[in-house]
Amino acid sequence: MFACLHAARGELATLAFSFSPVVEQTLADTVVFSIDGLERLIGTPHQIASEICRCGAARGISANLAIASNPDTAMLVARNRHGVTVMAPGREADTLAGLPISALEADPAVIETFKSWGIRTLAELAALPEMGLAARMGPEGVRLQRLASGRTHRALRVMSSPVTFVKRMELECPVSLLEPLLFVLSSILHELTEQMRRQSVAANRIELALELGDKSEHTRVLEFASPCRDPLTLLKLLQLDLEAHPPATEIVALRLELRPAPPQMLQHDLFLPATPEPQKLQIVASRLAGLVGEGNVGSPSLLNTHRPDAFTIRPFHPAAASPQTALQTANTVGLRLAFRIFRPAPKADVRLKREQPVEVKAAGVNGVVNRASGPWHSSGDWWSEAHWSREEWDVALSDGGLYRIYCRLDSRRWFVEGFYD
């Protein structure tokens, strides 16, 4: 037996999951679920329908309910008849008989064809000879006739039950120290990660809400570069974050939520050096952030600008490229020059001849220019304090080095930006 709920709004799936784990959400306003086995717990189909209505009313849901021996009939009646309808097995056609032909979800052209034949109700469609209908309308016509007579049979397209990994705990006494708080968090993390292990998922985000004694809430959110379900690693990351951002007053309750994500397996390569585990690297990055500041630890990322040496620090994420791809790239790229930047760029004394550099003197750099290439002009951000305007040259000096020098046009001062290696 199957039950179908149809309503314009309401948490129909949640109500259905409270009665059965086998639920199909056909549309946003329609769910079908199996009620097999409920007769031993609740009773007859009429008693089951009464219990579903009672639970729906408690949740504030007003819906049409239909119970039938197959899901298609239950869905067809629930979408076209108000109230509660319980159909006895074998009597589905009697209930469907009075419904209009437009109740069928079919191609409008097919419905118009039936109307041109004088068919107005499902009973009239069910009375047509099956062989003649198949000859004129094909398999679709036979399917619609079986649906009109309540003779379809299929399995439900089961949707998975929404799984959340959340736990809230009220403390027996207020906590103001980090150590007893970590003891409570450790117990919760072990419980939630064990649930994740049974579901074959891991956590890529932690949301911790601490309810304080002054009725305020201290919330911390941690994002992970790689999904993790090791409770000790998650506890260490929470500890480092709470040490850097402690709550203002004592804690009376807490709520911890782990966001699930597919786990990632780290595959090492025989021909590349071993890389640290992402979880351990996350702990190291958190420790460094506590020492140098959160905005100073992460992965450098170039900014979308022509300003020289413009970058920002983003949260660390492991590279997605496989080791094999990296090896193939290294073998096909060929020889390239590396440019090593001086930070800060040392000041230089540059002697010009015919507006070209002929000699460069700076800290660690001294020589006559054997060959020069340039100049290249660049400028931008004139509307902000970070504006720049400069003239660049690549020079090969007599000391054997290949350098890039530039002149700031606003001050006419020269600097050595770096050298090619």
Side-chain angles (χ1 to χ4, degrees), residues 30-308:
T30 306
V31 294
V32 187
F33 56 97
S34 172
I35 59 173
D36 290 338
L38 290 181
E39 64 275 0
R40 291 180 299 213
L41 297 175
I42 301 176
T44 65
H46 288 84
Q47 291 173 322
I48 295 174
S50 177
E51 183 64 16
I52 294 174
C53 293
R54 186 190 66 80
C55 293
R59 296 172 180 266
I61 299 175
S62 177
N64 299 335
L65 172 63
I67 294 180
S69 60
N70 64 80
D72 290 329
T73 300
M75 183 176 64
L76 187 59
V77 173
R79 293 183 64 85
N80 293 277
R81 291 189 65 173
H82 293 288
V84 179
T85 306
V86 179
M87 290 163 274
R91 302 298 300 272
E92 292 85 0
D94 297 339
T95 305
L96 294 172
L99 295 181
I101 193 69
S102 58
L104 296 175
E105 294 184 0
D107 188 345
V110 175
I111 300 298
E112 289 300 322
T113 300
F114 285 146
K115 290 181 178 180
S116 67
W117 292 354
I119 296 174
R120 297 291 184 269
T121 64
L122 297 188
E124 295 172 346
L125 176 60
L128 292 177
E130 184 174 335
M131 295 299 295
L133 184 63
R136 289 166 175 80
M137 303 295 294
E140 178 65 10
V142 176
R143 184 188 72 84
L144 293 176
Q145 187 186 47
R146 290 181 176 272
L147 185 61
S149 58
R151 294 185 289 120
T152 62
H153 298 280
R154 67 175 180 87
L156 291 181
R157 296 180 287 271
V158 180
M159 61 181 294
S160 58
S161 175
V163 180
T164 58
F165 302 93
V166 185
K167 186 167 184 180
R168 183 183 182 277
M169 179 180 292
E170 293 186 1
L171 305 179
E172 295 181 359
C173 57
V175 172
S176 57
L177 299 178
L178 182 58
E179 184 175 353
L181 176 62
L182 293 177
F183 180 80
V184 177
L185 290 175
S186 176
S187 174
I188 296 176
L189 285 172
H190 276 82
E191 179 182 343
L192 294 181
T193 53
E194 181 60 29
Q195 295 177 13
M196 285 190 154
R197 187 170 283 105
R198 291 195 294 266
Q199 296 289 336
S200 299
V201 294
N204 64 355
R205 177 188 173 100
I206 285 183
E207 296 184 11
L208 175 63
L210 302 176
E211 300 177 20
L212 306 182
D214 59 358
K215 306 301 182 181
S216 63
E217 190 173 84
H218 182 74
T219 305
R220 299 302 305 162
V221 178
L222 303 182
E223 299 274 359
F224 304 137
S226 178
C228 172
R229 61 184 176 201
D230 179 23
L232 298 181
T233 300
L234 299 178
L235 181 64
K236 190 62 179 180
L237 292 171
L238 279 175
Q239 177 186 351
L240 294 173
D241 185 77
L242 289 174
E243 288 176 350
H245 306 89
T249 184
E250 58 186 10
I251 305 164
V252 297
L254 61 90
R255 179 180 180 274
L256 185 66
E257 179 177 359
L258 304 183
R259 186 175 66 183
Q264 294 181 3
M265 305 302 295
L266 183 63
Q267 179 66 46
H268 295 282
D269 193 272
L270 294 176
F271 305 102
L272 291 178
T275 57
E277 296 182 9
Q279 291 81 9
K280 293 183 178 179
L281 191 57
Q282 184 100 18
I283 293 178
V284 173
S286 298
R287 290 182 182 274
L288 291 175
L291 296 175
V292 301
E294 293 184 354
N296 299 320
V297 177
S299 301
S301 177
L302 294 178
L303 296 176
N304 187 20
T305 177
H306 293 286
R307 181 162 55 88

Side-chain angles (χ1 to χ4, degrees), residues 4-7 12-13 24-32 75 79 105 157 159:
C4 178
L5 289 167
H6 171 71
L12 299 181
E24 172 188 314
Q25 182 147 18
T26 308
L27 297 169
D29 58 358
T30 306
V31 294
V32 187
M75 183 176 64
R79 293 183 64 85
E105 294 184 0
R157 296 180 287 271
M159 61 181 294

